[in-house]
Amino acid sequence: MNETRRDRDAEGRARNARPRDGLGRPLPYGTPGVERQPEGVVRTPHETLREAQRLLDAGMPFHTHEVFEDAWKSGPSSERELWRGLAQMAVGLTHAARGNTAGGARLLRRGAGALSPYDEARPHGIGIGELIDWAQELAGRVESSPTVDAAAEAPRLLG
């Protein structure tokens, strides 16, 4: 593989084939990495939440965000902001674990804001209020901490 050019799929779209670590950071070609989440998987909300919780518990919030991204792209429009907010929280945790405290705090708060309209409904059993509290508390902490442990900070999705 020519490492000076971007990897492309058969249709010419950019696809980075470099291996990645558990937080989604690129590793050198030939280095063993963490298996990527397949893109475009349509799951039920229950399957989405189960897979997302498994990945969060394993300290892989970058991969979790991809699961939520699939849900927001394939689910009903009435739930788009729900899944997008959850994805933003996962990316916020990713940034915080990578040491990007400003970006982590910003995305955690943005995700919490996107979830606030769903608080009373508790869609699919998701503990929205608890997740909002978790995101706000963690956002405040990461602004003064160099990094956090993604697995230790993983939230519980179902309340």
Side-chain angles (χ1 to χ4, degrees):
M1 171 168 301
N2 181 344
E3 296 178 25
T4 62
R5 296 180 31 192
R6 293 185 77 179
D7 305 320
R8 301 282 174 180
D9 65 15
E11 287 80 40
R13 290 186 301 262
R15 297 284 187 237
N16 191 339
R18 286 177 64 183
R20 295 190 177 260
D21 71 6
L23 291 173
R25 293 176 288 215
L27 299 169
Y29 285 99
T31 304
V34 172
E35 188 173 332
R36 292 188 158 188
Q37 281 299 118
E39 292 182 35
V41 176
V42 178
R43 300 174 181 88
T44 66
H46 176 75
E47 291 167 336
T48 295
L49 293 165
R50 185 178 64 230
E51 180 65 2
Q53 190 68 64
R54 182 187 74 76
L55 291 165
L56 284 169
D57 292 344
M60 296 174 26
F62 176 81
H63 301 283
T64 304
H65 110 272
E66 293 179 341
V67 171
F68 288 139
E69 189 173 288
D70 284 340
W72 107 46
K73 290 179 178 179
S74 67
S77 61
S78 62
E79 293 184 355
R80 181 180 169 98
E81 289 303 307
L82 168 71
W83 300 114
R84 189 164 67 163
L86 290 167
Q88 288 171 331
M89 286 181 169
V91 173
L93 180 55
T94 300
H95 281 293
R98 289 177 176 177
N100 176 359
T101 57
R106 183 173 49 254
L107 281 161
L108 285 163
R109 288 187 177 112
R110 187 179 302 156
L115 292 185
S116 63
Y118 299 93
D119 191 8
E120 296 298 317
R122 297 184 57 85
H124 311 294
I126 301 170
I128 300 292
E130 294 90 342
L131 283 172
I132 292 171
D133 292 346
W134 166 83
Q136 297 289 6
E137 189 274 331
L138 183 58
R141 260 192 307 123
V142 301
E143 289 174 320
S144 61
S145 298
T147 59
V148 299
D149 180 311
E153 297 292 346
R156 305 305 316 154
L157 298 173
L158 298 176

